[in-house]
Amino acid sequence: MKFIKHISILFLVLTTSLASAQIKFEAKVSKTKLGINERLRIDFEMNKDGDNFTPPDFNGFTVVGGPNTSVSQSWLNGKRSYKKTYSYFLAPKKRGSLKINQATIEIDGEVYKTQVVAVNVTAAVKRPNDPDNAENVASENIHLVAEVSKANPYLNEAITVVYKLYVSQTTGVSNWREIDNPRYNDFWSQNINIKGLKIQNGSFNGDDNYRYVVLRKTVLYPQKTGQLEIEPLSLDVTVEVPTNRRDIFGGRLMTQVNKRVSAGSRTIDVKPLPENGKPDNFSGAVGDFKFNVITSKTELNASESLQARVEVTGNGNLKLFELPKLRLPNSLEVYEPEHNENVNTNLGGMQGSISDSYTIVPQYKGKYPVPSISFSYFDLKTESYKTVSSGEIVINVLEGPVNTSNSDNNIASTNSGKQNVVLSGDQFAFVKTDANLKPVNTKDFFKSTAFWTSLLLPFLAIPLALVYHKKKEERNADVFGNKIRKADRLAKRYLSEAKKSLGQKEAFYIALEKALHNYLKAKLHIETSDFSKDKIQTLLNERQVNTDAIQEFISILEHCELARYTPITNVEMQQDYDKAAKTISIIDKELR
């Protein structure tokens, strides 16, 4: 009985030890129900350190903070407890039931995943109107406004939307980013570039104690009539709000609050163009225009070419209508017109010119009249239609063969059933360019060089296959070497991922840090728990690596940690990538 009792106690101890050694990786949220104006914290916790942590895509949320990393270790009754946490702060983008997908991490060569977390997002939660609450102060002192130049335009009339951020004199803004860009459905739109933000003094709702900056300017041309909606622009703004605390000099201390502001949607009532007096050849041009038909020359010989340009200049929807077609006599060869646009867009709308250039080649001697063509547009100043006509142009062909055909007496045809002579580009299609010739005398495959090669090649490949198989078995048996090669491949892969992520600050520096991490695991045979700057410096010094290369490697690691939270340009990211590749190459040569 005593033996059975001892066995039971031993089994219980082993079971407890195995349970305590079980690896855990889980996701915990601060709340499962929140308002759309609240924030959510999610922690990814593990009881053993790992590699290659990959967060979920956070679809439906905006990451407003993180990742923040914390590590804690303790010893209790001779047992070590370890906890590492990656924390993110999220803001929901919409209401409803949202899911946070799985995060992954690699621990001891195994990949672990968290469970999917469901969160219910409700309407905005009312908060107490506390005058000392930083968020309430921020709400009352920062406003985003969309100013529309005209709320009742005509179809295809230019209007402008200017987005202004108003901030009171008592608060400040340290950072902002767009989280929801407006989509201008049923509008032709173009943003106007703003060179630098200029702070100006202004008034908001009659209060002159405000400053503002113009964040965006957009020109819109409505393409439909009726009630059209301009979607709101939403920003996530870091607001500096004064507190009741003061510094040693008596000045107020500031605190930072993340605040979402929206310009609100605007409705535009678009009027249709009047039907009364609309010309038959009207193609949708709205604005103030001039119309011309210009030829490069009026006298030439047969088989020479000239250019005829149909051009419209002025202000209006230049890119949104078609030019009238040029009508020419049938005896003139006409190539497809080349369309050219020289248009600038500013707050007044489109300005410049558009044109169709025709290449014309006369075949016969004679005089060829180019009939007058007309262009119609709607004038916004007079709110009426106007029609402009070009004058008739005569093309005089001085020398060349005489056209004896009675169908064309060198006069432009007015019959709409006839078409201009246009080269299709396949006038030489009957000429066969590939002969596909075959030799008359052919050799048999049997006993040819190809026959003997295909017959002997399998036998020659047998020794190579045996050597390859032996090398593969030796490589598979080298467990330690395989681990090193795997980590080395990971370093190269993450360095490649860092190169692909150039321009995306956070993704780039995460990939770059992982590449450095896995490279050291391969070369120095250290685990993640030993991954400290002092340990790295000691091991590299023991391997007699150049001191400058060690310092450069440590500085790159420190810069990867700091760069996620500081503004970084694309040029600096490229420099960090080149510096990391060069440093790895130097250390790799000295460690061989």
Side-chain angles (χ1 to χ4, degrees):
M1 291 295 293
K2 290 183 178 180
F3 178 74
I4 296 175
K5 184 178 180 181
H6 289 305
I7 292 295
S8 301
I9 294 173
L10 181 61
F11 178 76
L12 181 62
V13 171
L14 290 174
T15 304
T16 306
S17 299
L18 290 173
S20 62
Q22 185 179 4
I23 295 176
K24 293 182 180 180
F25 180 49
E26 54 188 357
K28 297 180 180 180
V29 293
S30 58
K31 57 181 76 174
T32 57
K33 183 178 180 180
L34 70 157
I36 196 169
N37 58 334
E38 293 184 299
R39 300 290 186 267
L40 174 72
R41 172 174 175 165
I42 182 167
D43 295 330
F44 298 98
E45 296 182 356
M46 64 203 75
N47 63 350
K48 189 173 183 180
D49 201 359
D51 300 314
N52 307 326
F53 170 73
T54 304
D57 54 10
F58 296 119
N59 187 25
F61 293 90
T62 299
V63 179
V64 296
N68 300 329
T69 307
S70 62
V71 177
S72 64
Q73 300 186 67
S74 63
W75 290 89
L76 182 62
N77 296 328
K79 294 183 179 180
R80 174 179 175 268
S81 64
Y82 176 89
K83 184 172 76 171
K84 185 174 183 179
T85 306
Y86 291 95
S87 301
Y88 291 83
F89 295 89
L90 310 176
K93 295 180 179 179
K94 58 182 179 180
R95 294 167 56 180
S97 180
L98 304 180
K99 290 184 179 180
I100 301 176
N101 295 324
Q102 296 174 319
T104 62
I105 195 168
E106 185 179 337
I107 303 176
D108 294 340
E110 297 289 334
V111 177
Y112 292 84
K113 298 181 180 180
T114 61
Q115 297 292 329
V116 176
V117 180
V119 177
N120 185 26
V121 180
T122 64
V125 177
K126 293 183 178 180
R127 299 177 180 176
N129 189 16
D130 183 4
D132 296 328
N133 184 277
E135 292 195 4
N136 292 338
V137 174
S139 300
E140 294 175 358
N141 290 274
I142 185 169
H143 310 279
L144 182 61
V145 178
E147 296 181 355
V148 180
S149 62
K150 191 172 185 179
N152 189 26
Y154 278 105
L155 179 71
N156 267 313
E157 180 182 357
I159 61 173
T160 57
V161 184
V162 179
Y163 295 93
K164 295 181 179 179
L165 182 64
Y166 285 88
V167 182
S168 69
Q169 299 284 355
T170 58
T171 57
V173 172
S174 60
N175 191 20
W176 64 273
R177 62 186 181 89
E178 296 182 0
I179 58 175
D180 191 10
N181 296 324
R183 293 186 298 271
Y184 303 106
N185 299 324
D186 302 320
F187 290 92
W188 182 95
S189 64
Q190 182 166 328
N191 292 328
I192 306 299
N193 292 330
I194 299 177
K195 298 180 179 179
L197 298 180
K198 182 180 179 182
I199 301 175
Q200 305 177 60
N201 294 322
S203 174
F204 180 78
N205 288 341
D207 187 353
D208 294 331
N209 191 30
Y210 273 88
R211 299 159 296 165
Y212 72 91
V213 291
V214 177
L215 300 180
R216 178 187 285 204
K217 299 177 182 179
T218 306
V219 176
L220 303 176
Y221 283 87
Q223 301 299 293
K224 287 176 59 177
T225 59
Q227 302 282 335
L228 303 183
E229 182 181 2
I230 298 177
E231 294 184 355
L233 171 68
S234 298
L235 305 177
D236 189 273
V237 186
T238 302
V239 188
E240 295 181 347
V241 180
T243 65
N244 292 327
R245 297 177 298 162
R246 296 183 181 273
D247 57 23
I248 59 175
F249 301 104
R252 275 199 168 190
L253 296 176
M254 307 290 282
T255 184
Q256 289 188 342
V257 178
N258 281 334
K259 183 66 182 175
R260 281 189 174 185
V261 291
S262 175
S265 61
R266 298 291 300 271
T267 300
I268 306 299
D269 188 11
V270 182
K271 299 181 293 186
L273 298 175
E275 293 294 329
N276 186 23
K278 181 184 291 187
D280 293 335
N281 65 341
F282 178 71
S283 60
V286 177
D288 183 14
F289 302 107
K290 294 181 180 179
F291 175 67
N292 289 301
V293 176
I294 306 168
T295 57
S296 60
K297 49 188 170 183
T298 56
E299 292 185 349
L300 71 165
N301 297 327
S303 299
E304 294 181 351
S305 65
L306 63 91
Q307 301 291 324
R309 187 172 76 252
V310 179
E311 183 180 59
V312 171
T313 60
N315 304 329
N317 60 334
L318 287 164
K319 297 182 179 181
L320 304 176
F321 60 84
E322 292 185 356
L323 292 169
K325 301 299 181 182
L326 192 64
R327 296 181 299 162
L328 295 169
N330 293 343
S331 295
L332 300 177
E333 286 189 0
V334 184
Y335 292 84
E336 286 294 326
E338 178 184 356
H339 187 72
N340 297 298
E341 294 181 353
N342 183 18
V343 180
N344 296 319
T345 305
N346 52 33
L347 286 180
M350 300 184 202
Q351 299 178 355
S353 65
I354 60 173
S355 63
D356 284 342
S357 296
Y358 296 80
T359 299
I360 303 171
V361 182
Q363 299 297 313
Y364 303 103
K365 180 181 178 179
K367 292 185 178 181
Y368 298 89
V370 178
S372 173
I373 57 175
S374 59
F375 169 72
S376 299
Y377 65 94
F378 183 75
D379 190 353
L380 293 170
K381 295 179 181 178
T382 61
E383 296 188 355
S384 61
Y385 294 97
K386 292 185 177 180
T387 300
V388 183
S389 298
S390 66
E392 184 181 85
I393 301 173
V394 177
I395 299 175
N396 186 12
V397 182
L398 302 175
E399 296 181 3
V402 178
N403 185 8
T404 59
S405 173
N406 294 326
S407 61
D408 185 355
N409 294 322
N410 298 343
I411 299 175
S413 174
T414 58
N415 187 0
S416 61
K418 294 184 179 181
Q419 297 181 354
N420 297 334
V421 178
V422 179
L423 294 180
S424 61
D426 59 351
Q427 59 268 35
F428 301 105
F430 60 89
V431 179
K432 193 171 185 180
T433 57
D434 295 324
N436 297 325
L437 300 177
K438 295 181 180 180
V440 176
N441 298 323
T442 58
K443 293 182 179 181
D444 295 331
F445 175 72
F446 182 67
K447 293 185 179 181
S448 65
T449 303
F451 170 78
W452 292 115
T453 302
S454 59
L455 183 64
L456 298 176
L457 191 61
F459 296 98
L460 296 175
I462 292 175
L464 296 176
L466 293 175
V467 173
Y468 171 77
H469 183 69
K470 184 178 180 180
K471 292 293 184 183
K472 186 177 181 182
E473 288 181 347
E474 293 176 356
R475 190 182 182 92
N476 292 337
D478 185 12
V479 178
F480 183 73
N482 285 336
K483 289 183 178 180
I484 293 176
R485 284 188 288 272
K486 180 182 178 182
D488 199 22
R489 287 195 300 269
L490 282 175
K492 293 178 180 178
R493 188 186 75 184
Y494 284 118
L495 198 58
S496 175
E497 289 182 2
K499 187 173 183 179
K500 295 177 183 177
S501 302
L502 280 169
Q504 305 173 20
K505 183 183 70 173
E506 188 166 342
F508 169 75
Y509 282 105
I510 289 174
L512 186 61
E513 190 174 7
K514 286 181 179 180
L516 298 173
H517 182 169
N518 286 286
Y519 172 75
L520 288 181
K521 283 187 65 179
K523 292 296 180 181
L524 303 181
H525 318 309
I526 61 174
E527 297 298 328
T528 308
S529 58
D530 296 328
F531 193 67
S532 66
K533 299 179 185 66
D534 294 337
K535 183 71 172 181
I536 293 169
Q537 192 165 7
T538 302
L539 290 173
L540 290 177
N541 281 325
E542 291 176 357
R543 301 290 187 92
Q544 297 180 350
V545 177
N546 184 281
T547 305
D548 294 337
I550 297 174
Q551 294 301 324
E552 189 70 22
F553 193 91
I554 298 299
S555 68
I556 294 171
L557 285 176
E558 293 175 346
H559 196 251
C560 287
E561 296 173 359
L562 296 175
R564 301 183 198 173
Y565 311 102
T566 56
I568 296 293
T569 64
N570 291 346
V571 175
E572 291 175 300
M573 280 188 274
Q574 181 65 51
Q575 291 174 349
D576 288 339
Y577 175 83
D578 296 338
K579 193 183 299 180
K582 182 180 179 181
T583 305
I584 288 176
S585 177
I586 293 172
I587 296 176
D588 192 62
K589 291 177 182 178
E590 297 190 11
L591 289 177
R592 290 184 184 275

